[in-house]
Amino acid sequence: MIIDRPPYAYRQDPAVPPFDDQGPIVFIDGSCTLCSQSAKLLIRMDRAKEFRICPVQSPTGRAVLSHFGLAADDPTSWLYLHEGRAYGSMEAVIRAGTRLGGAGHALKVLRLLPRPAQDWLYRQVAQNRYRIFGRADLCSMPDPAVKARLMD
């Protein structure tokens, strides 16, 4: 569960290194195949070229997740940061998809599920993603479009 904080509160947190927070940022597991493929899809769908990706294993990723009460080593930690506000779990997925527009709007259908069902579904996928999808190193992907949007 994400700690609710005022917008941009992380800017005053000495444990969070300064970073460019203009535009939406998705904090994902950089060693997960599902996450890596999702990052590639996100970049392809992002016609405005505004999204950036930050691996949770990076110093910035770890610090930002910690600021919001999440752990980079927890498989359910996925964060969407937009306009200084953080969203997690299925809400993060839905908001990122909606922001992308186009086919991303289809994710809104998940809001029909009650919140506990959304959280349960998200946890099931997150906790089993390595077993189902395997591992991949997002940072070593040869895709230049993804590399251009990666944060440290």
Side-chain angles (χ1 to χ4, degrees), residues 6 12 14 35 50 63 70 80 91 93 121 124 126 128 130-131 133 135 145 150:
Q12 283 74 50
C35 299
E50 62 181 354
L70 300 174
Y80 172 61
E91 183 63 22
V93 174
L121 178 61
Q124 294 308 304
N128 294 293
Y130 291 142
R131 186 174 52 78
F133 301 102
R135 293 180 181 266
L150 277 178

Side-chain angles (χ1 to χ4, degrees), residues 86-98:
Y87 305 92
S89 190
M90 194 62 76
E91 183 63 22
V93 174
I94 294 167
R95 284 180 180 267
T98 302

Side-chain angles (χ1 to χ4, degrees), residues 8-127:
Y8 302 103
Y10 51 85
R11 289 178 177 172
Q12 283 74 50
D13 185 339
V16 177
F19 65 96
D20 178 5
D21 58 4
Q22 299 299 307
I25 303 170
V26 177
F27 293 81
I28 63 168
D29 182 349
S31 22
C32 164
T33 298
L34 175 62
C35 299
S36 297
Q37 294 303 317
S38 296
K40 286 172 69 172
L41 178 63
L42 185 145
I43 298 303
R44 275 197 311 271
M45 292 178 65
D46 181 18
R47 294 174 197 243
K49 299 190 183 318
E50 62 181 354
F51 274 81
R52 284 178 299 126
I53 311 291
C54 184
V56 297
Q57 293 87 351
S58 71
T60 300
R62 286 187 179 280
V64 170
L65 262 64
S66 179
H67 175 80
F68 289 105
L70 300 174
D73 299 328
D74 181 345
T76 62
S77 291
W78 196 91
L79 191 74
Y80 172 61
L81 187 67
H82 185 242
E83 296 179 344
R85 291 202 112 5
Y87 305 92
S89 190
M90 194 62 76
E91 183 63 22
V93 174
I94 294 167
R95 284 180 180 267
T98 302
R99 176 78 185 186
L100 286 168
H105 280 293
L107 292 170
K108 284 184 182 180
V109 74
L110 294 169
R111 284 207 173 113
L112 296 173
L113 295 172
R115 187 60 180 252
Q118 288 179 29
D119 291 341
W120 179 86
L121 178 61
Y122 178 82
R123 272 192 317 277
Q124 294 308 304
V125 172
Q127 291 172 342

Side-chain angles (χ1 to χ4, degrees), residues 137-151:
D137 185 1
L138 176 67
C139 298
S140 69
M141 294 177 89
D143 189 328
V146 173
K147 283 190 178 248
R149 306 272 193 95
L150 277 178
M151 295 175 55

